[in-house]
Amino acid sequence: MLVSIILLVISAIIVYLLFVQLVLYIDTGTNEYYVRVKGLMKANIMPHKEELIQIRIRAFFMNFYFYPINKIGTPIKPSTTKKLGIKKKRQLGFRKGLRLLRSFEVKRFYVELDTGNCITNAKLYPLFALLNQKSGNFRINFEGKNQLILHLQNRPIHILKSFINF
């Protein structure tokens, strides 16, 4: 009886992890960048006064701060163990990569661009008008504003299906 309850709880956790929502959000206008697994964790990339950036990870009502730039300057210690065999690297492949990209759902895509050159802006204006008719929200301006908003969602089950299905 106890084993069946434990198996039921483990299978419920696995099903939840397969169907939980993954969110990637990038907004350069408000400097908001995060990756979120709904209900489990959220990782924000934030500016810091002393360091260049800091990553705040909020998981299970606890906050963890991580400074990735500190790790770049430290030398890596060479491994003392010898490699026994040559491992072959797995490559993603074009078709699998395309299926993986198609599994993501774009909730919002907004581009506001100013190249700094009025001639180039004028040449990009018809292209952005054409792109506005098909998909997305593209805007060219002459005011010096640049902004990108990208809001993507996916579920791990869709990612697994993109690798398994042919």
Side-chain angles (χ1 to χ4, degrees), residues 111-125:
V111 176
E112 186 172 359
L113 181 69
D114 182 13
T115 60
N117 184 355
C118 62
I119 305 296
T120 308
N121 285 355
K123 289 180 181 178
L124 286 174
Y125 189 81

Side-chain angles (χ1 to χ4, degrees), residues 141-159:
N141 66 50
F142 297 89
E143 302 168 354
K145 295 179 184 175
N146 293 316
Q147 184 178 9
L148 169 73
I149 299 174
L150 180 63
H151 184 192
L152 299 174
Q153 289 183 352
N154 204 348
R155 297 185 188 274
I157 190 74
H158 299 305
I159 295 172

Side-chain angles (χ1 to χ4, degrees), residues 68-125:
I69 303 299
N70 288 343
K71 304 286 183 187
I72 291 175
T74 59
I76 299 172
K77 295 179 183 177
S79 177
T80 58
T81 60
K82 293 182 180 180
K83 294 183 180 179
L84 298 176
I86 299 172
K87 293 184 180 180
K88 187 176 180 181
K89 288 186 179 181
R90 295 184 134 216
Q91 293 183 357
L92 186 61
F94 180 72
R95 288 186 182 180
K96 283 187 181 181
L98 192 59
R99 282 197 314 255
L100 178 66
L101 284 177
R102 285 184 181 168
S103 70
F104 283 89
E105 181 182 354
V106 179
K107 288 295 190 178
R108 185 166 184 210
F109 185 63
Y110 176 79
V111 176
E112 186 172 359
L113 181 69
D114 182 13
T115 60
N117 184 355
C118 62
I119 305 296
T120 308
N121 285 355
K123 289 180 181 178
L124 286 174
Y125 189 81

Side-chain angles (χ1 to χ4, degrees), residues 119-133 140:
I119 305 296
T120 308
N121 285 355
K123 289 180 181 178
L124 286 174
Y125 189 81
L127 175 68
F128 276 39
L130 181 68
L131 288 173
N132 274 337
Q133 292 178 358
I140 214 65

Side-chain angles (χ1 to χ4, degrees), residues 11-67:
S11 63
I13 290 172
I14 290 172
V15 167
Y16 174 74
L17 289 176
L18 283 175
F19 288 100
V20 72
Q21 192 173 33
L22 306 173
V23 176
L24 170 71
Y25 187 79
I26 298 171
D27 187 355
T28 59
T30 61
N31 289 331
E32 191 174 356
Y33 313 97
Y34 65 83
V35 175
R36 179 172 61 189
V37 179
K38 283 205 173 179
L40 293 178
M41 65 152 293
K42 182 177 180 181
N44 288 17
I45 299 175
M46 303 170 13
H48 192 261
K49 291 179 183 177
E50 297 170 7
E51 301 293 329
L52 184 61
I53 61 171
Q54 75 177 358
I55 297 176
R56 184 181 90 184
I57 299 172
R58 182 186 296 175
F60 303 115
F61 308 109
M62 295 182 292
N63 288 330
F64 303 101
Y65 292 95
F66 177 66
Y67 302 97

